[in-house]
Amino acid sequence: MNLGRIVGMVVATRKEPSVEGLKFQLVRYIDENGKETGAEVVAVDTVGAGPGEVVLVATGSSARQTVLTQNRPCDAVIMAIVDSWDVRGETKYRKTEER
Amino acid sequence: MNLGRIVGMVVATRKEPSVEGLKFQLVRYIDENGKETGAEVVAVDTVGAGPGEVVLVATGSSARQTVLTQNRPCDAVIMAIVDSWDVRGETKYRKTEER
Amino acid sequence: MNLGRIVGMVVATRKEPSVEGLKFQLVRYIDENGKETGAEVVAVDTVGAGPGEVVLVATGSSARQTVLTQNRPCDAVIMAIVDSWDVRGETKYRKTEER
Amino acid sequence: MNLGRIVGMVVATRKEPSVEGLKFQLVRYIDENGKETGAEVVAVDTVGAGPGEVVLVATGSSARQTVLTQNRPCDAVIMAIVDSWDVRGETKYRKTEER
Amino acid sequence: MNLGRIVGMVVATRKEPSVEGLKFQLVRYIDENGKETGAEVVAVDTVGAGPGEVVLVATGSSARQTVLTQNRPCDAVIMAIVDSWDVRGETKYRKTEER
C-alpha cells in the first residue's frame, strides 16, 4: 500500500457497466513526511473517504478484493483512512491535527 | 486507474486469435492538470472512446475484468470516458469545454 | 500493452520444465515515434514474430492468457505484430515502409 | 522480493472490514549495501517483525498468499525477517551486528 | 522476463511457513550489453542457479507458476539459466566465455 491524499474527484458518465456507481477519487501519493511525491492515481473509494483525507491505496489485483470492486476493471482502491503514522518513534502525521 | 488522452490507433493483423476484433488505442497519460506525463500505453477500448477523448485506463489483471477482454492477453483497458475532474474545488477539465 | 521492436533472442537450456519450447525474444520498447525508450524486456513469442519486427507486448498475468504461456512462469508475451499506427491522423509507422 | 527496513507504523481505524486486525508497517526499501533507495511502502506484517528490522517484502498478488492477507485488499506483505546477506562472498549485513 | 546476474544470497530464518526451504538469490538486473542497470531483486531459485550466473527472472503472479513457488508469497523467480543471447546478429553473451 502507499500513502496518499485525496485532492479531487473524477466524473465519468460513459463507462464499463460494472463500474457504475463507484466513486473515483484523485489521489496524490505522499511520502513518510506527508510530502507529495509528484505521482498520482485515480482510486475507487470503499471507505467513505473525503477530500483532503490521508488514505492508504492498494493497487493491482489487490484493488479488487473488496465487495465494491470485485470482478471489476479497477486497479486502485482506497481501503483505509489513515489516523496517524510514526517514523522512528516520532509522530509524523495525526489526522485531527492536520484538518 | 490513470488519466489519459487517446491520440491514435494501432493496427495489427497478425495477432493472438483471442484478441481478434479488439480496438487498440494509443493513449498518452496525463496528470491532474491535463498535461502529458511523457508515458504512453496501448489500451483496448471497451467504451467506444474516440481520438482526442480523455479516458480512464486500468492496467494489469484488472484490464481483463470486462466482457471484451476476459481471459485475453490484454494488460490495459479504457474503462471510462472522463467528463470532468476537479482538484481542491477547482474544475481542471470539462469535456465539452475542451473539444 | 506497449510497442517494442525485436532485436535478438535469448537461449536458455536449463530452465523450468514448463517453459520448454518457448521462444524468448529480446524486445526494445519504443515510443509513438518509433524511438527506443531505453527499456527492454525478454518476451515469449506467440505469433511467429521475427527479428526487426515491431510488436505489441503484454506483461504481468495477462502474459499467461495464451495457449503457449498458460500456467507458466512467463510475465511478458508478444501477442501481436504491428502493421501500422497513427498519431493525431499522421501515420507514424507502416510495416512495409520500414523493413 | 525486495529488501527493506521497518521504520514506523501506520494506524487506520476506518478501513475495509477485511483488513481489520492487520498491522501496517512503514518500510523503507534498501539496496544490497543496506542503503535506503528513497522508495517506501506500507506492508502488512505476517512474521512479527519490529521497528528497525530488515525484512523481505513481496508485492502484488503475491502479497495475498498468506493466511493473514488472503482475499484482502493488501498489495505488500512482510514475509521474512532477514538474518544476513552476502554479495560476491562478502557479508553485507548480519542482523546481530547491526542492532 | 528480465536478464539478471546472481551476486549473492539472502538468509532469513524467521519467515512465512510456506516459503520454508526456498533459496533467495540476490540478482542484479543487466541490460542487453550485460551491463548492470542499478536495479536489483531478491528472487527464488527454481533451476539450481549459482553465484555469477546470468539468469532470466519472472516477476509478479507469474513468479508463482512453478511447483516450488505455487501459492506462496513470492513475487520473483529465477526460471532459466541463460546460455547466450544476440542483438542484431551479434552475440552479446555466451556462458562459457564469461565464466
Side-chain angles (χ1 to χ4, degrees):
Chain A
M1 282 66 62
N2 286 97
L3 297 165
R5 185 177 283 114
I6 300 177
V7 295
M9 202 182 313
V10 177
V11 178
T13 314
R14 195 150 135 211
K15 55 196 164 196
E16 248 286 304
S18 66
V19 297
E20 196 65 51
L22 298 185
K23 225 167 111 182
F24 297 102
Q25 302 274 24
L26 186 60
V27 177
R28 288 185 192 159
Y29 284 119
I30 58 177
D31 64 18
E32 65 180 49
N33 296 309
K35 218 185 124 185
E36 293 165 3
T37 66
E40 57 201 14
V41 68
V42 178
V44 167
D45 178 29
T46 67
V47 290
E53 277 187 308
V54 171
V55 295
L56 280 178
V57 176
T59 58
S61 59
S62 299
R64 299 196 310 272
Q65 311 297 314
T66 78
V67 176
L68 275 179
T69 56
Q70 205 178 0
N71 299 327
R72 285 164 173 78
C74 160
D75 62 6
V77 79
I78 296 170
M79 30 64 78
I81 300 176
V82 173
D83 293 321
S84 68
W85 77 80
D86 68 279
V87 174
R88 301 191 185 280
E90 187 192 341
T91 302
K92 288 285 185 173
Y93 170 80
R94 192 175 296 277
K95 194 178 166 182
T96 47
E97 285 172 10
E98 178 147 327
R99 299 192 82 194
Chain B
M1 282 67 62
N2 286 97
L3 297 165
R5 185 177 284 114
I6 300 176
V7 295
M9 202 182 314
V10 177
V11 178
T13 314
R14 196 150 135 210
K15 55 196 163 195
E16 248 285 305
S18 66
V19 298
E20 197 66 50
L22 298 185
K23 224 167 112 183
F24 296 102
Q25 301 275 24
L26 186 61
V27 177
R28 288 185 192 158
Y29 284 119
I30 58 177
D31 65 17
E32 64 180 50
N33 295 310
K35 217 186 125 184
E36 294 166 4
T37 66
E40 57 201 15
V41 68
V42 177
V44 167
D45 177 30
T46 67
V47 289
E53 276 187 307
V54 171
V55 295
L56 280 178
V57 176
T59 58
S61 58
S62 300
R64 300 197 309 272
Q65 310 297 314
T66 77
V67 176
L68 274 178
T69 57
Q70 204 179 2
N71 299 328
R72 285 164 173 79
C74 160
D75 63 6
V77 80
I78 296 170
M79 30 64 79
I81 301 176
V82 173
D83 292 321
S84 68
W85 77 79
D86 68 279
V87 174
R88 302 191 185 280
E90 186 192 343
T91 301
K92 287 285 185 172
Y93 169 80
R94 192 174 297 277
K95 194 179 167 183
T96 48
E97 284 172 12
E98 179 147 328
R99 298 192 82 195
Chain C
M1 283 68 62
N2 285 97
L3 297 165
R5 185 178 284 112
I6 300 177
V7 295
M9 203 181 313
V10 177
V11 178
T13 314
R14 194 149 135 211
K15 55 196 164 195
E16 249 286 304
S18 66
V19 298
E20 197 65 51
L22 298 185
K23 225 167 112 183
F24 296 103
Q25 301 275 23
L26 186 61
V27 177
R28 289 186 192 158
Y29 284 119
I30 58 178
D31 65 16
E32 64 179 50
N33 296 310
K35 216 186 124 184
E36 294 165 4
T37 66
E40 57 202 15
V41 69
V42 177
V44 167
D45 177 29
T46 67
V47 289
E53 276 187 307
V54 171
V55 295
L56 280 178
V57 176
T59 59
S61 59
S62 300
R64 299 196 310 272
Q65 310 297 314
T66 77
V67 176
L68 275 178
T69 57
Q70 204 179 0
N71 299 328
R72 286 164 173 79
C74 159
D75 63 6
V77 79
I78 296 170
M79 29 65 78
I81 300 176
V82 173
D83 293 321
S84 68
W85 76 80
D86 68 278
V87 174
R88 301 192 185 280
E90 187 191 343
T91 301
K92 288 285 184 172
Y93 169 80
R94 191 174 297 276
K95 194 179 167 182
T96 47
E97 282 173 11
E98 179 147 327
R99 299 191 82 194
Chain D
M1 281 67 62
N2 286 97
L3 297 165
R5 185 177 284 114
I6 300 177
V7 295
M9 201 181 314
V10 177
V11 178
T13 314
R14 195 150 136 212
K15 54 197 164 196
E16 249 285 304
S18 66
V19 298
E20 196 65 52
L22 299 185
K23 225 167 112 182
F24 296 103
Q25 303 274 23
L26 186 61
V27 177
R28 288 185 192 158
Y29 284 120
I30 57 177
D31 65 17
E32 65 179 51
N33 296 310
K35 217 185 124 184
E36 292 165 4
T37 66
E40 58 201 15
V41 69
V42 177
V44 167
D45 178 29
T46 67
V47 289
E53 276 187 306
V54 171
V55 295
L56 280 178
V57 176
T59 58
S61 60
S62 299
R64 299 196 310 272
Q65 310 297 314
T66 77
V67 176
L68 275 178
T69 56
Q70 204 178 2
N71 299 327
R72 286 165 173 78
C74 160
D75 63 6
V77 79
I78 296 170
M79 30 63 79
I81 300 177
V82 173
D83 292 320
S84 68
W85 76 80
D86 68 279
V87 174
R88 301 191 185 281
E90 187 191 342
T91 301
K92 287 285 184 174
Y93 170 80
R94 192 174 297 275
K95 195 179 166 181
T96 48
E97 283 172 11
E98 178 147 328
R99 298 192 82 194
Chain E
M1 281 67 62
N2 285 98
L3 297 165
R5 185 178 283 112
I6 300 177
V7 295
M9 202 181 315
V10 177
V11 178
T13 314
R14 196 150 134 212
K15 54 196 164 196
E16 249 286 303
S18 66
V19 298
E20 196 65 51
L22 298 186
K23 225 167 112 183
F24 296 102
Q25 302 274 23
L26 186 60
V27 178
R28 289 186 192 157
Y29 284 120
I30 58 177
D31 65 17
E32 64 179 50
N33 296 309
K35 217 185 124 184
E36 293 165 4
T37 66
E40 57 201 14
V41 69
V42 177
V44 167
D45 177 29
T46 68
V47 289
E53 276 187 307
V54 171
V55 296
L56 280 178
V57 176
T59 58
S61 59
S62 299
R64 299 196 310 272
Q65 310 297 313
T66 76
V67 176
L68 275 178
T69 57
Q70 203 178 1
N71 300 327
R72 286 165 173 78
C74 160
D75 63 6
V77 79
I78 295 170
M79 32 62 80
I81 300 177
V82 173
D83 293 321
S84 68
W85 76 80
D86 68 279
V87 174
R88 301 193 186 279
E90 188 192 341
T91 301
K92 288 284 184 173
Y93 170 81
R94 192 175 296 276
K95 195 178 167 182
T96 48
E97 285 173 10
E98 178 147 328
R99 300 191 82 195

